Amino acid sequence: MDVQKRIKISDLLKEAPIGKEVTVMGWVRTFRNNQFISMNDGSTINNLQAVVDFQQMPEETLRKITTGSCLSVTGVVVESLGKGQSIEVKVKDLEIFGEADPEKFPLQPKKHSLEFLREIAHLRVRTSTFGAIYRIRHSMIYAVHSFFHERGFYNIHTPIITGSDAEGAGEMFRVTTLDPANPPMDENGFVDFREDFFEKETNLTVSGQLEVETACLALSDVYTFGPTFRAENSNTSRHLAEFWMIEPEVAFCDLEGLMDLAEDFVKYLTRYALEHCAGDLEFLENRLLEEDKSKPQQERSTMTLTERLRFVSENEFERLSYTDAIEILRNSKPNKKKKFQYLIEGWGSDLQSEHERYLVEKHFQKPVILFNYPKNIKAFYMRQNEDGKTVAAMDVLFPGIGEIIGGSQREERLDVLQERIAEMNIPEKDLWWYLELRKFGTAPHSGFGLGFERLIQFVCGMGNIRDVIPFPRTPGNAEF
Amino acid sequence: MDVQKRIKISDLLKEAPIGKEVTVMGWVRTFRNNQFISMNDGSTINNLQAVVDFQQMPEETLRKITTGSCLSVTGVVVESLGKGQSIEVKVKDLEIFGEADPEKFPLQPKKHSLEFLREIAHLRVRTSTFGAIYRIRHSMIYAVHSFFHERGFYNIHTPIITGSDAEGAGEMFRVTTLDPANPPMDENGFVDFREDFFEKETNLTVSGQLEVETACLALSDVYTFGPTFRAENSNTSRHLAEFWMIEPEVAFCDLEGLMDLAEDFVKYLTRYALEHCAGDLEFLENRLLEEDKSKPQQERSTMTLTERLRFVSENEFERLSYTDAIEILRNSKPNKKKKFQYLIEGWGSDLQSEHERYLVEKHFQKPVILFNYPKNIKAFYMRQNEDGKTVAAMDVLFPGIGEIIGGSQREERLDVLQERIAEMNIPEKDLWWYLELRKFGTAPHSGFGLGFERLIQFVCGMGNIRDVIPFPRTPGNAEF
């Protein structure tokens, strides 16, 4: 293995150093006519064509060049006369690192269903589709950090194991080292969590927001980017038990400033994808077009992948109040003709993804930000408006999926916050430290949350959320 | 609140726009002589001096300007005649966002012990020390992503909840939704994990390495950066139950390539800190000098903070085999004079931090990379050398702390790996997918792990690991 001489396929295709001898290492995608090896090393969606002279090559070696095998080829770069590539490598030396028995290797050069590939999550990354998704996922991670770093935000690692059970965003997983068969019991017959590792009951976090607010009220502009968990028994294409979330929190920022930030943020991300992931997007766009062909007309995407990304990055988002949105929806055709699954009766009801999509795709034909929601359908920490009925919350709505971002100005007034948590029967002692942020040097501040996998679904055009995270965790499934 | 006009203190001090009217928002650090407000907004270690004309300001407002209160000041920027700053703001308007009752606010302008500050982790970020640590932590996060991104690595989110119990790196936390008091039992009297959320027993990950190898053997260059967990009852200044780890994994890379990568990586990080965090480092350097004054001579740091960072970024690392290191240590003065707590008897024993530090600080006076360790003290996945006794493992050793990075070339040969896991009594079925990576298209590859908090301790000069993560989790402690 002569690593010094190795060149990545992405660099090789970019530089196209005709006449130069290079060494390429990667995995065989196909081997045609005992002559043409199509190789990929993960650095790009594009494969390299390596051409062997089968008359010079031992039979035994040729037999080992199969789909999935790993090898190193050394040879001169020449112009390619074949279709689909401009250069190829004329193989002089070939070393086989690892074979892949065609009788056993599950990834053969044919179409595999996404369901089948989920069963072999350790291998699916070797397909073009998942290679593209993983690379885009990386690009989006990097873009998230770049966006915030450029604006002077600090990334804060909020805790994963939390002793706070007031987050209220959903069902939690317990974290424990107690003997599951014989838990210690206290004098009242309850499990004695004082004997547990942390000497109390602890859970996996459902959101880093409350904790990141502590940093916000000292450093001004902060964000989290970490895993969050929901122990909900939802076996849908939109839910994961473990997913990654991005939560910026900004001091001295009101709802309008927050909407500006959210719009800038998703525009930055979609523009970044268009500029930096062109090859992978093109591949996934074609994949989506193919997939759509097998669907009934009304389930097909109305926009191609790049059209959808431009829809976000190029349009000015429509901003309107929840109250105005309800009016539009109540008078809309699908509501009057009872085409909505959930009919809009009047003010106060929660919006479903069908309503959100109607506003974005049909009514405004641009991304929409709704704000000032009824307080009864929102969380305790959202800032109450003067009308006494609404809170300064906002949701960003996207085509195809509906809500992608949810956020709010936070209630910074101690007395109003205390009243609200009393109304909602949350014990004050569970939030003692959160309330202290309002007791000492409180400040107006706002923040939002973006589910990272939803974003990747949108950018990659994948219908099932299990296909945009390397090892999805869902009810009954924690393989690997 | 006029957010449009707000300028961050870092920008204000950099631009120094004499004569211009600006608005600054932040928290009061001190208020002297009813006149001089020292304000901080977290954008920099430096405070802004805002000068009020107490004769023009209502008594009642002046009384509310106390340490910890949050306010907005608007006024003209003027040159400062006072010591310690070049500009100041002559306050025209002042708005108080949040008061901080001096009788109750725990952070008064005096020295607080680090132990006390740990009790109020939600407020300690408002001190200069923790503001500096959080900012440096952010810079290091960003530098990690930049380093790998520039080199074509992809960030992979490996799972936090794992169904794999073969990682073997330590005690694990169980993740469950079973009723803790009345767990379901199976026909043999064991807890029936088929009834649990994932229909099997699951734990929090101790390392993403095994999972990230799946991506490595498709995308070539990948890395993880995520939380990892150890349920070990170690109440020391070096251990956390929850900490962040960085684990690159590189295909077509041998041990030498890995040592190059590790050296480049930590040099990049320390250089990044020197170049981008000068103000915060200066503050922490002085903090450390102060702290050292109260310590006995032999416990004081031999280098200042910046000297230590340059020691890493400017020296070529010494590379030597474990075997050579044992020879040096066996013949060293502290070994002969029995000054080591653990005496080096001969080949085969594990090295302690005192030995590692001796090699770095006394013998070579530069960072050291040891390689080719005895296989019996290392993990099952490390590649066996031809001598049959050692594995292609390496550790990077730093002054002050000893090991900061541990890594190895991975065993890519299926038969050798199977033999090793049999020797170590690991059931093959627990590693079926890991073994398949060697069955299908195996490739030489290598990787290492860096404990992120150890790095932050090193860069910030903090003796206790609980002071470099926002909300430390340790035995008996999961507050917030």
Side-chain angles (χ1 to χ4, degrees):
Chain A
M1 178 173 73
D2 190 350
V3 176
Q4 302 307 317
K5 275 170 60 185
R6 180 189 170 214
I7 183 168
K8 284 194 184 179
I9 292 176
S10 57
D11 294 330
L12 178 57
L13 296 179
K14 213 177 295 159
E15 295 166 21
I18 304 283
K20 201 180 148 191
E21 185 174 294
V22 297
T23 296
V24 175
M25 301 178 186
W27 290 267
V28 174
R29 287 291 168 87
T30 57
F31 184 38
R32 285 183 301 117
N33 303 342
N34 251 353
Q35 204 174 357
F36 302 108
I37 309 173
S38 179
M39 277 176 79
N40 190 283
D41 65 3
S43 61
T44 158
I45 188 82
N46 298 307
N47 300 327
L48 175 75
Q49 176 153 295
V51 186
V52 295
D53 181 349
F54 58 89
Q55 291 177 316
Q56 303 289 320
M57 186 79 65
E59 252 317 297
E60 210 201 309
T61 306
L62 285 172
R63 251 201 321 266
K64 291 180 182 169
I65 306 174
T66 60
T67 296
S69 61
C70 183
L71 37 87
S72 169
V73 300
T74 298
V76 170
V77 180
V78 297
E79 263 184 85
S80 179
L81 304 172
K83 231 181 88 197
Q85 65 275 328
S86 58
I87 60 163
E88 59 192 31
V89 169
K90 245 182 107 178
V91 176
K92 199 179 75 181
D93 294 313
L94 187 149
E95 182 184 353
I96 294 184
F97 291 132
E99 300 172 43
D101 184 344
E103 302 291 315
K104 294 182 183 152
F105 185 55
L107 292 174
Q108 291 305 319
K110 60 162 195 166
K111 212 174 148 41
H112 298 289
S113 75
L114 294 172
E115 290 76 13
F116 168 71
L117 293 172
R118 265 170 237 150
E119 308 276 302
I120 48 167
H122 62 306
L123 297 177
R124 67 177 178 172
V125 54
R126 301 189 191 185
T127 65
S128 294
T129 298
F130 285 92
I133 294 168
Y134 276 49
R135 280 188 294 272
I136 289 176
R137 194 176 162 106
H138 164 77
S139 291
M140 290 296 96
I141 295 170
Y142 188 70
V144 166
H145 288 296
S146 299
F147 175 85
F148 288 117
H149 183 74
E150 288 166 11
R151 281 157 187 76
F153 283 65
Y154 305 115
N155 189 196
I156 304 294
H157 286 144
T158 47
I160 311 303
I161 299 171
T162 177
S164 154
D165 53 4
E167 296 174 3
E171 290 296 307
M172 294 172 110
F173 288 102
R174 203 168 58 256
V175 174
T176 180
T177 55
L178 292 181
D179 181 348
N182 295 299
M185 294 299 200
D186 68 13
E187 49 284 10
N188 301 315
F190 295 112
V191 172
D192 190 356
F193 286 107
R194 287 170 306 184
E195 300 276 309
D196 209 344
F197 189 90
F198 296 108
E199 297 171 16
K200 63 191 285 196
E201 191 173 348
T202 52
N203 295 291
L204 290 178
T205 182
V206 297
S207 157
Q209 179 204 315
L210 302 192
E211 285 91 354
V212 88
E213 283 190 44
T214 68
C216 173
L217 292 172
L219 303 175
S220 292
D221 298 343
V222 294
Y223 70 107
T224 69
F225 189 171
T228 50
F229 306 84
R230 301 283 155 86
E232 268 148 38
N233 209 345
S234 328
N235 242 318
T236 79
S237 62
R238 292 167 52 109
H239 292 91
L240 290 169
E242 172 181 318
F243 57 99
W244 288 67
M245 195 134 78
I246 298 146
E247 299 177 284
E249 194 73 32
V250 195
F252 315 114
C253 175
D254 56 18
L255 190 65
E256 204 188 317
L258 189 71
M259 291 194 276
D260 292 341
L261 182 74
E263 182 168 345
D264 286 351
F265 182 48
V266 289
K267 281 184 164 162
Y268 182 99
L269 295 178
T270 47
R271 208 175 299 128
Y272 191 97
L274 286 165
E275 282 169 17
H276 294 87
C277 310
D280 288 323
L281 284 177
E282 190 189 334
F283 178 88
L284 292 174
E285 174 155 307
N286 291 329
R287 191 206 70 84
L288 189 58
L289 290 171
E290 275 302 312
E291 190 184 68
D292 271 357
K293 281 183 193 158
S294 63
K295 285 185 181 168
Q297 186 69 41
Q298 73 271 20
E299 283 177 28
R300 294 184 192 170
S301 318
T302 50
M303 290 181 263
T304 68
L305 208 51
T306 44
E307 279 167 1
R308 223 153 67 163
L309 294 174
R310 289 217 182 84
F311 183 86
V312 169
S313 65
E314 292 174 7
N315 274 309
E316 195 175 331
F317 292 12
E318 185 71 30
R319 300 182 186 187
L320 80 161
S321 71
Y322 166 89
T323 304
D324 291 346
I326 286 291
E327 271 316 289
I328 292 170
L329 289 167
R330 220 162 47 86
N331 297 316
S332 70
K333 245 196 223 163
N335 203 54
K336 289 182 165 165
K337 295 193 165 175
K338 303 196 193 290
K339 287 276 169 73
F340 281 144
Q341 203 189 331
Y342 298 87
L343 292 182
I344 295 288
E345 307 287 357
W347 200 92
S349 49
D350 213 348
L351 299 185
Q352 306 297 323
S353 138
E354 57 179 341
H355 310 126
E356 296 168 340
R357 291 185 56 184
Y358 173 83
L359 291 171
V360 171
E361 293 163 32
K362 299 283 189 293
H363 191 84
F364 290 109
Q365 302 190 334
K366 52 170 94 163
V368 171
I369 309 184
L370 293 190
F371 59 86
N372 289 351
Y373 280 81
K375 74 173 180 179
N376 293 330
I377 57 171
K378 290 289 181 183
F380 73 88
Y381 48 73
M382 298 189 174
R383 192 179 199 277
Q384 285 191 53
N385 289 322
E386 286 181 16
D387 61 16
K389 291 179 353 186
T390 62
V391 286
M394 66 100 194
D395 282 357
V396 179
L397 314 181
F398 266 23
I401 50 173
E403 183 204 325
I404 187 143
I405 280 180
S408 75
Q409 185 165 346
R410 312 310 187 188
E411 185 56 76
E412 89 280 13
R413 296 162 295 187
L414 181 62
D415 52 340
V416 186
L417 185 60
Q418 280 171 320
E419 213 171 285
R420 191 80 188 119
I421 66 175
E423 272 172 33
M424 296 176 79
N425 295 315
I426 305 169
E428 265 201 33
K429 70 168 178 39
D430 288 354
L431 287 170
W432 68 272
W433 53 273
Y434 189 72
L435 291 168
E436 284 206 346
L437 301 180
R438 278 70 181 166
K439 261 178 214 152
F440 305 123
T442 191
H445 63 291
S446 304
F448 65 74
L450 169 84
F452 188 58
E453 281 72 22
R454 292 272 169 90
L455 173 81
I456 304 301
Q457 275 192 279
F458 181 79
V459 174
C460 294
M462 300 304 290
N464 195 313
I465 200 163
R466 297 166 202 217
D467 295 327
V468 298
I469 188 166
F471 296 96
R473 268 72 181 103
T474 52
N477 181 29
E479 269 303 310
F480 312 104
Chain B
M1 177 172 75
D2 190 350
V3 176
Q4 302 308 317
K5 275 169 60 186
R6 179 188 170 214
I7 183 168
K8 283 193 185 179
I9 292 175
S10 57
D11 293 330
L12 178 58
L13 296 180
K14 213 178 296 158
E15 296 167 21
I18 304 282
K20 203 181 144 190
E21 186 174 293
V22 296
T23 297
V24 175
M25 301 176 186
W27 291 266
V28 174
R29 288 292 168 85
T30 57
F31 184 38
R32 285 185 299 118
N33 303 343
N34 251 354
Q35 203 173 0
F36 302 108
I37 310 173
S38 179
M39 277 175 79
N40 190 283
D41 65 3
S43 62
T44 158
I45 188 82
N46 298 307
N47 300 328
L48 174 76
Q49 176 153 298
V51 187
V52 295
D53 181 349
F54 59 88
Q55 291 176 315
Q56 303 289 320
M57 187 78 65
E59 253 315 297
E60 210 200 310
T61 307
L62 284 174
R63 250 200 323 264
K64 291 180 182 168
I65 306 173
T66 59
T67 296
S69 60
C70 182
L71 39 87
S72 169
V73 299
T74 299
V76 170
V77 180
V78 296
E79 263 184 85
S80 179
L81 303 174
K83 233 181 88 196
Q85 65 275 325
S86 58
I87 60 163
E88 59 192 30
V89 169
K90 244 182 104 176
V91 176
K92 199 178 77 180
D93 293 314
L94 187 149
E95 183 184 351
I96 294 181
F97 291 131
E99 300 171 44
D101 183 345
E103 302 292 313
K104 294 180 184 153
F105 185 54
L107 291 174
Q108 292 304 320
K110 58 160 195 167
K111 214 173 147 41
H112 298 289
S113 76
L114 295 172
E115 290 76 14
F116 169 71
L117 293 172
R118 265 171 236 149
E119 308 276 303
I120 49 167
H122 61 308
L123 297 176
R124 66 177 178 172
V125 53
R126 301 188 190 184
T127 64
S128 294
T129 298
F130 284 92
I133 294 168
Y134 276 49
R135 279 188 295 272
I136 290 176
R137 192 175 164 108
H138 164 77
S139 291
M140 291 296 95
I141 294 170
Y142 189 70
V144 166
H145 289 296
S146 298
F147 175 85
F148 288 118
H149 183 74
E150 287 165 13
R151 280 157 188 76
F153 282 65
Y154 306 116
N155 187 198
I156 305 293
H157 286 145
T158 47
I160 310 302
I161 299 172
T162 179
S164 154
D165 52 5
E167 296 173 0
E171 291 295 307
M172 295 172 107
F173 289 101
R174 202 166 61 256
V175 174
T176 180
T177 55
L178 292 180
D179 180 347
N182 296 298
M185 294 301 200
D186 69 13
E187 49 283 9
N188 301 315
F190 295 111
V191 173
D192 190 357
F193 286 107
R194 288 170 305 184
E195 301 275 310
D196 209 345
F197 189 90
F198 296 108
E199 296 171 17
K200 64 192 285 195
E201 191 174 347
T202 51
N203 295 292
L204 289 180
T205 183
V206 297
S207 157
Q209 180 204 316
L210 302 191
E211 285 92 352
V212 89
E213 282 189 47
T214 68
C216 173
L217 292 171
L219 303 175
S220 292
D221 299 342
V222 294
Y223 71 106
T224 70
F225 188 172
T228 50
F229 305 85
R230 302 282 156 86
E232 267 148 42
N233 209 344
S234 330
N235 242 318
T236 79
S237 61
R238 292 166 52 110
H239 291 91
L240 290 168
E242 171 181 319
F243 57 99
W244 288 67
M245 196 132 79
I246 298 146
E247 297 177 288
E249 194 72 31
V250 195
F252 315 114
C253 176
D254 56 16
L255 190 65
E256 204 187 317
L258 190 70
M259 291 194 276
D260 291 342
L261 182 72
E263 182 168 345
D264 286 351
F265 182 48
V266 290
K267 281 183 164 162
Y268 182 98
L269 295 177
T270 46
R271 207 176 299 128
Y272 191 97
L274 286 166
E275 281 168 18
H276 295 85
C277 310
D280 288 323
L281 284 177
E282 190 189 333
F283 178 87
L284 291 173
E285 175 156 305
N286 290 329
R287 192 206 69 83
L288 189 59
L289 289 171
E290 275 304 310
E291 192 184 68
D292 271 357
K293 281 184 195 160
S294 64
K295 285 185 181 169
Q297 187 68 41
Q298 74 271 21
E299 283 177 28
R300 294 183 192 172
S301 318
T302 50
M303 290 181 263
T304 69
L305 210 49
T306 45
E307 278 168 2
R308 223 153 65 163
L309 293 173
R310 289 217 181 84
F311 183 86
V312 170
S313 66
E314 292 173 6
N315 274 310
E316 196 175 330
F317 293 11
E318 185 70 31
R319 299 180 186 188
L320 81 161
S321 72
Y322 166 90
T323 305
D324 290 345
I326 287 290
E327 271 317 288
I328 291 171
L329 289 167
R330 221 164 45 86
N331 297 317
S332 69
K333 243 195 224 165
N335 203 54
K336 289 183 165 164
K337 296 196 165 172
K338 304 195 192 293
K339 287 276 168 71
F340 280 144
Q341 203 189 331
Y342 298 87
L343 292 183
I344 296 288
E345 307 287 356
W347 200 91
S349 50
D350 212 348
L351 299 185
Q352 305 297 324
S353 138
E354 58 179 341
H355 310 126
E356 296 169 339
R357 290 185 57 184
Y358 173 83
L359 292 170
V360 172
E361 293 164 30
K362 299 281 187 296
H363 190 83
F364 290 110
Q365 301 191 333
K366 53 170 96 162
V368 171
I369 308 184
L370 293 190
F371 60 87
N372 289 351
Y373 280 81
K375 73 173 180 182
N376 293 331
I377 57 170
K378 290 289 182 182
F380 74 89
Y381 48 72
M382 298 187 174
R383 193 178 198 277
Q384 285 190 52
N385 289 322
E386 285 180 17
D387 61 17
K389 292 181 348 189
T390 62
V391 286
M394 65 101 195
D395 283 356
V396 178
L397 315 181
F398 266 23
I401 51 175
E403 183 205 325
I404 186 143
I405 279 179
S408 75
Q409 185 165 348
R410 312 311 187 187
E411 186 56 77
E412 88 281 14
R413 297 162 297 186
L414 181 62
D415 53 340
V416 185
L417 184 60
Q418 281 170 320
E419 212 172 286
R420 190 80 189 121
I421 65 175
E423 272 173 31
M424 295 176 79
N425 295 316
I426 305 170
E428 266 202 30
K429 71 166 178 39
D430 289 353
L431 287 170
W432 68 272
W433 54 273
Y434 189 72
L435 291 168
E436 284 205 347
L437 302 179
R438 278 71 181 167
K439 262 178 212 151
F440 305 123
T442 192
H445 63 291
S446 304
F448 65 74
L450 169 85
F452 188 58
E453 281 72 22
R454 291 272 169 90
L455 173 80
I456 304 300
Q457 275 192 279
F458 180 78
V459 174
C460 294
M462 300 304 291
N464 195 313
I465 199 164
R466 297 165 203 218
D467 295 327
V468 297
I469 188 166
F471 297 96
R473 268 72 182 104
T474 52
N477 181 28
E479 268 302 310
F480 311 103

